[in-house]
Amino acid sequence: MPPSRTLLELLRYDLDLVGTKQGCDKGDCGACTVLRDGEAVLSCLVLAVDCEGARVETVEALPGAEALHPLLDAFDRTGAAQCGFCTPGS
């Protein structure tokens, strides 16, 4: 893996975790937000090599309807639409 590969590229193109969206590629839109060790980070600005040993969670980690995650519950209660582009996760 090239040392310049971003976490976003690793997630989407190497690991096929496409829930993390590629938006602006400069940290403005938040569509690529993931949790790294519990902290929200913009994966387009983070090098993949800097995440070695870290716990990275994407939207794919959120549980389904059988155990609604508090974030999904808040979206439901407020009428938010989370497509990854129009309602970024920042």
Side-chain angles (χ1 to χ4, degrees):
M1 174 174 52
S4 62
R5 191 138 179 95
T6 65
L7 178 57
L8 172 65
E9 294 167 331
L10 174 73
L11 292 170
R12 287 189 61 83
Y13 307 116
D14 296 348
L15 301 177
D16 202 29
L17 295 171
V18 295
T20 303
K21 303 300 182 193
Q22 188 165 7
C24 68
D25 281 327
K26 57 182 183 174
D28 288 336
C29 74
C32 68
T33 302
V34 299
L35 296 179
R36 180 178 62 183
D37 292 331
E39 181 179 333
V41 296
L42 301 170
S43 62
C44 71
L45 299 179
V46 175
L47 293 177
V49 297
D50 290 339
C51 294
E52 187 174 340
R55 178 182 171 91
V56 175
E57 296 177 78
T58 68
V59 69
E60 285 90 354
L62 295 177
E66 69 281 352
L68 200 58
H69 188 279
L71 179 62
L72 296 178
D73 181 54
F75 285 164
D76 184 48
R77 285 185 288 103
T78 61
Q82 178 67 14
C83 69
F85 290 103
C86 61
T87 310
S90 62

